[in-house]
Amino acid sequence: MDIELFDIFFSNGNDIAFTSDFPNLDDTDFYERFYSKMVDKKKVNGIHGTLHLEDVAKESFPIRRETDAGEF
């Protein structure tokens, strides 16, 4: 994912995002940008955000921060 797309999804310190929160996002453009920077997962030092493609867990993250979700 390029940094500009990351900043759109994870602004204001949020570390949870749902694609449905961005209805104007063009699917083709999104997937091209999402996969524009492939990385070797073994070399990644940390996860900086979780992007949900479906709304199944949406009600668990009203503030869009994992730390505010409570226990599962």
Side-chain angles (χ1 to χ4, degrees), residues 54-72:
E54 297 186 13
D55 290 346
V56 175
K58 197 169 191 175
E59 66 184 39
S60 298
F61 301 102
I63 301 176
R64 304 300 189 258
R65 291 192 184 103
E66 196 164 323
T67 55
D68 296 333
E71 293 187 31
F72 291 96

Side-chain angles (χ1 to χ4, degrees), residues 1-9 24-38 51:
M1 175 182 302
D2 63 47
I3 192 69
E4 292 157 350
L5 187 58
F6 183 88
D7 288 344
I8 290 169
F9 283 121
N24 296 328
L25 192 64
D26 176 85
D27 283 348
T28 302
D29 181 55
F30 165 74
Y31 284 105
E32 286 176 6
R33 291 175 69 184
F34 185 80
Y35 290 108
S36 67
K37 287 194 138 182
M38 299 295 287
L51 178 62

Side-chain angles (χ1 to χ4, degrees), residues 13-25:
N14 294 345
D15 58 4
I16 299 288
F18 294 86
T19 54
S20 64
D21 289 337
F22 305 90
N24 296 328
L25 192 64

